[in-house]
Amino acid sequence: MPTRGERRASDRTSADIQASVRARGSKLRVRAEVVDISTDGCRIMATDYSTGDEVLIALAHLAPIAGRICWVRDGAAGVKFGTRLHPSVVSHLATL
């Protein structure tokens, strides 16, 4: 989770989305729960990654989204998307 003084580029919205996550270059897909999401990133409940890992996240019916693990703490990881999501996509995903 973000530390005190850390600023986000956009507000996060609570979510409950099942995702498939895999590190770049790996064929191993890990199931993870997305617990919040924004146009710039998300928080996943997963312990299989380290800060700096490049990942691909498959959410719902979208093409996999490239991202980078920014932090890992207490069974969760923060992901910064490589490409910003449109706000309407975030709203749609948050309702799933």
Side-chain angles (χ1 to χ4, degrees):
M1 286 176 219
T3 59
R4 182 177 287 192
E6 199 173 326
R7 297 194 183 256
R8 297 192 186 286
S10 57
D11 291 333
R12 297 257 172 125
T13 301
S14 292
D16 183 11
I17 307 165
Q18 294 302 309
S20 175
V21 184
R22 72 177 173 89
R24 287 210 184 206
S26 172
K27 293 184 181 186
L28 178 64
R29 295 180 190 277
V30 174
R31 287 292 215 204
E33 180 183 1
V34 176
V35 294
D36 64 36
I37 191 165
S38 74
T39 56
D40 296 306
C42 66
R43 178 170 39 132
I44 60 174
M45 301 308 292
T47 58
D48 304 295
Y49 301 102
S50 299
T51 301
D53 285 352
E54 298 289 327
V55 296
L56 292 171
I57 302 176
L59 299 169
H61 53 278
L62 301 178
I65 303 165
R68 182 177 48 83
I69 303 294
C70 297
W71 56 264
V72 177
R73 214 167 16 261
D74 300 326
V79 180
K80 178 168 177 44
F81 297 143
T83 302
R84 188 171 233 212
L85 297 181
H86 191 277
S88 64
V89 172
V90 173
S91 294
H92 171 70
L93 289 171
T95 63
L96 296 178

